[in-house]
Amino acid sequence: MNLDEAIKLINKTKIPSHSVKWTDLGCGSGLFTAALLTLLPAGSSIYALDKIDNFQVNIDDKKQSNIQFIQKDITDFPLPFKELNGFIMANSLHYIPSPEEYLIKLKSYLVLHSQIVIVEYDTDEPAGQWVPYPISYSKLQSICLSLSKNKISKIGTYSSVYGNNNLYAALLDL
């Protein structure tokens, strides 16, 4: 997937007109960090977390100064920030054995009227070490229902090169 495809996948995220603070959990090389930054208003910032330093965002230097890479395992709480407007988790929630508990923890870092964007493979079949705890869109919907008062919507799909399952992007309004 390239940057334009990543932007298209998440471009229906509801972004306010004022500057905001987001975090990319499990950012990898930073593809979705860069995609999100293109959608956020001027002055916004993103914390990009990953346990492996493979961060290689390729965007103009002026915007790159709004990204802070932090080398940290996304399951290691507490997280090093507060009062965020949103999280993005692109291909990282499938590493969490208890996604419901994890999402509950994340809510404590968010201000009112925040969002979580999830990008995952639409399957419930594990794929070894790469997708140990898969989370299909229907499974994510069930989790959101159990978290009460959380609205979820599918905001995009992308044809995956791995297997027959698509990637989906979901927006959780909190």
Side-chain angles (χ1 to χ4, degrees), residues 21-95:
K21 292 189 304 185
W22 277 64
T23 296
D24 183 352
L25 293 170
C27 64
S29 65
L31 174 66
F32 280 91
T33 307
L36 179 62
L37 190 59
T38 65
L39 300 173
L40 296 178
S44 295
S45 59
I46 300 176
Y47 300 101
L49 266 70
D50 206 297
K51 66 181 178 180
I52 299 170
D53 187 359
N54 188 32
F55 197 69
Q56 305 169 7
V57 172
N58 190 13
I59 55 175
D60 71 52
D61 291 338
K62 189 174 183 181
K63 284 190 173 190
Q64 192 153 343
S65 66
N66 295 11
I67 300 171
Q68 180 182 353
F69 175 76
I70 300 169
Q71 189 169 358
K72 182 176 178 65
D73 189 314
I74 65 171
T75 62
D76 186 16
F77 286 92
L79 298 174
F81 32 70
K82 296 179 183 178
E83 299 184 358
L84 297 169
N85 302 97
F87 286 103
I88 185 166
M89 296 186 74
N91 298 318
S92 57
L93 190 58
H94 62 239
Y95 290 108

Side-chain angles (χ1 to χ4, degrees), residues 1-11 31-32 35 39:
M1 179 178 299
N2 64 38
L3 181 59
D4 289 337
E5 292 166 330
I7 292 167
K8 184 177 178 184
L9 184 60
I10 65 169
N11 73 353
L31 174 66
F32 280 91
L39 300 173

Side-chain angles (χ1 to χ4, degrees), residues 28 33 70 100 122 149:
T33 307
I70 300 169
E100 185 173 343
D122 201 358
K149 297 186 180 179

Side-chain angles (χ1 to χ4, degrees), residues 127-139:
Q129 68 180 6
W130 300 112
V131 185
Y133 308 105
I135 185 159
S136 65
Y137 181 69
S138 61
K139 184 175 179 181

Side-chain angles (χ1 to χ4, degrees), residues 144-163:
C144 288
L145 287 174
S146 71
L147 295 177
S148 74
K149 297 186 180 179
N150 293 321
K151 182 181 174 190
I152 181 170
S153 56
K154 189 182 284 188
I155 59 171
T157 58
Y158 181 80
S159 181
S160 172
V161 295
Y162 301 107

